[in-house]
Amino acid sequence: MFDISTLAFAGRLLLGGAFVFAGLRNFANTKLLTGMMTARGVPQAGVVLCGGIVLQILAGLMLIVGFHAAYAAAALIVFLVAGTLMFHNFWDHQGPDRASRINGVVSNVALAGSFLLMIAAGQ
């Protein structure tokens, strides 16, 4: 009923496209994000941020076109772990801000799960 290759491409487009979009958005907010990372104690925050942005965009594009998609997915899992620890530190917050950060953690865990499924499926 469903063409597997079309579904796989649609999945890669949605996942990869989300990271390309996020990377471009992060590029537009470099100053704000660098300040946040510096405040969290990230050494060389600007360099780390630029590396993360390049990773998001490059790995997202690799997913979309299916070029070494498993490696791109694995790299994005590493990115999600690092980003979650830097930006979704719910343990330092209370109330609605804590709930929002917990939602970010849950979303990143779900994304990591989707990447693991892609790797397992040989996508």
Side-chain angles (χ1 to χ4, degrees):
M1 180 169 173
F2 296 107
D3 178 43
I4 297 298
S5 63
T6 301
L7 290 174
F9 173 72
R12 290 194 322 269
L13 178 64
L14 292 171
L15 282 169
F19 280 87
V20 171
F21 174 77
L24 294 172
R25 188 185 67 215
N26 288 344
F27 180 74
N29 294 303
T30 300
K31 186 175 180 180
L32 171 71
L33 294 171
T34 301
M36 290 173 65
M37 291 171 69
T38 300
R40 296 272 305 140
V42 176
Q44 298 292 320
V47 174
V48 172
L49 177 63
C50 287
I53 290 169
V54 168
L55 176 71
Q56 282 180 294
I57 294 171
L58 183 60
L61 290 171
M62 289 171 67
L63 284 180
I64 291 169
V65 300
F67 180 74
H68 295 291
Y71 291 113
L76 287 169
I77 290 171
V78 172
F79 174 84
L80 286 169
V81 170
T84 298
L85 292 172
M86 277 187 248
F87 292 105
H88 298 291
N89 54 324
F90 64 88
W91 51 89
D92 290 334
H93 299 272
Q94 296 299 318
D97 194 36
R98 180 182 177 101
S100 175
R101 289 172 191 265
I102 289 172
N103 289 339
V105 171
V106 171
S107 295
N108 285 355
V109 167
L111 285 168
S114 68
F115 289 135
L116 289 173
L117 286 170
M118 283 185 68
I119 293 167
Q123 294 293 317

